[in-house]
Amino acid sequence: MMKGSQFIDVFKTGNIVVPIYFLKQYKKFNLTMEEFIFLMYLYHLGDKSLFNPSKYQEDLNLESSKVMEYISVLTDKKLVQVEVVKNEKDLMEEVVLLDGFYRKLSLLMVEEGNQKSATYQSNIFETVEKEFGRTLSPIEYEIIKAWLDNDIDEDLIKEAIKEATFNGVSNLRYIDKILYEWGKLNIKTVKDVENHRKKRAQHREEEADSNIDLDIVDWDWFDDDSDE
């Protein structure tokens, strides 16, 4: 079994980079920390990497028996699959697939999102889903939740959605950009948005007036002798 110091050495070499979300969820995979770290090592190698126990053994400083034990655990839990496929040179080779891990991760994210939706009292999620014509992804849910956590008024969020729709964009990051720009202008309510639009329209009118050609305005049309 890998010791704590070995984990530190593995992280330092850059062989394993564990996304924070995975680290928070690892217990839900019903794995020991050592098994989870091994899974993250495979994740770092790619979605479809060559099955190479000797490389795993060398990279992680593990005994061969321990490597095979981890592989066995992960396959039994249907988190990874070891399959024989034909490569681009038309040769057969063993590869490690992480489809099972991604499926379980997706289910966890959906379940977590549903639980949060049930406890978070807001109809803004339904509003966005209705506007987009589809169910929100877990990431999109977190973006909207962050708006609410930052005390952004729900009506202001809806106004930003209208603004995005008016511009032909149904993208949550675009809406986030609108809210960010409004925040810089200290716009906190729909009334603030309306006042800002009025000021902007007035400014455009003043600019248009200032760009009128004064020579044309002052022209004495009755004394125009240009045709003579």
Side-chain angles (χ1 to χ4, degrees):
M1 184 173 294
M2 298 172 73
K3 298 179 181 179
S5 59
Q6 287 178 278
F7 282 135
I8 294 173
D9 290 340
V10 169
F11 283 119
K12 282 182 177 179
T13 60
N15 284 328
I16 300 177
V17 178
V18 183
I20 297 298
Y21 181 80
F22 293 175
L23 196 57
K24 290 180 178 178
Q25 300 292 332
Y26 94 89
K27 289 185 179 179
K28 294 181 181 179
F29 290 96
N30 195 25
L31 299 171
T32 65
M33 177 57 84
E34 291 82 4
E35 292 162 351
F36 179 75
I37 292 298
F38 188 81
L39 174 61
M40 288 298 93
Y41 167 76
L42 296 178
Y43 165 80
H44 180 70
L45 293 180
D47 301 341
K48 185 180 177 181
S49 61
L50 189 65
F51 180 59
N52 192 343
S54 60
K55 174 178 170 56
Y56 310 156
Q57 187 178 343
E58 182 180 351
D59 287 350
L60 300 176
N61 192 25
L62 289 172
E63 294 179 0
S64 175
S65 59
K66 189 55 69 173
V67 167
M68 299 313 296
E69 177 187 324
Y70 290 152
I71 289 291
S72 177
V73 169
L74 295 177
T75 52
D76 287 346
K77 293 183 183 297
K78 301 188 185 305
L79 293 170
V80 303
Q81 304 114 273
V82 179
E83 295 186 359
V84 178
V85 299
K86 198 175 283 188
N87 63 20
E88 59 276 4
K89 295 181 180 179
D90 213 30
L91 298 174
M92 306 304 290
E93 63 183 11
E94 282 188 301
V95 296
V96 178
L97 304 176
L98 300 180
D99 296 358
F101 166 61
Y102 290 126
R103 275 195 298 271
K104 187 172 179 73
L105 183 65
S106 297
L107 289 173
L108 284 174
M109 293 178 75
V110 170
E111 181 184 342
E112 187 179 73
N114 289 339
Q115 289 174 350
K116 289 179 180 177
S117 295
T119 57
Y120 218 96
Q121 301 301 313
S122 173
N123 67 353
I124 193 63
F125 302 100
E126 294 177 7
T127 300
V128 178
E129 287 182 335
K130 184 177 180 181
E131 191 65 40
F132 286 6
R134 60 174 174 78
T135 303
L136 292 170
S137 71
I139 292 176
E140 289 174 324
Y141 179 92
E142 291 299 329
I143 291 173
I144 296 172
K145 182 176 177 296
W147 296 340
L148 298 173
D149 288 344
N150 284 299
D151 297 322
I152 297 178
D153 184 72
E154 282 194 31
D155 289 334
L156 187 66
I157 296 173
K158 292 175 183 177
E159 191 65 24
I161 294 170
K162 289 180 184 177
E163 178 94 357
T165 303
F166 178 78
N167 289 321
V169 182
S170 295
N171 183 295
L172 218 59
R173 297 196 180 280
Y174 184 80
I175 297 169
D176 189 54
K177 179 66 173 175
I178 292 173
L179 292 170
Y180 173 73
E181 293 298 331
W182 283 351
K184 289 199 300 183
L185 295 170
N186 201 32
I187 293 174
K188 297 181 179 179
T189 66
V190 175
K191 187 68 176 175
D192 291 339
V193 174
E194 292 172 354
N195 290 336
H196 175 68
R197 286 172 179 161
K198 287 177 183 177
K199 289 179 181 178
R200 192 168 56 181
Q202 183 180 352
H203 180 66
R204 279 200 296 262
E205 288 178 5
E206 291 172 352
E207 277 192 336
D209 290 342
S210 66
N211 290 331
I212 293 175
D213 190 336
L214 295 179
D215 290 337
I216 295 177
V217 174
D218 294 336
W219 189 272
D220 189 347
W221 298 96
F222 295 102
D223 291 336
D224 184 5
D225 297 329
S226 61
D227 292 334
E228 294 182 1

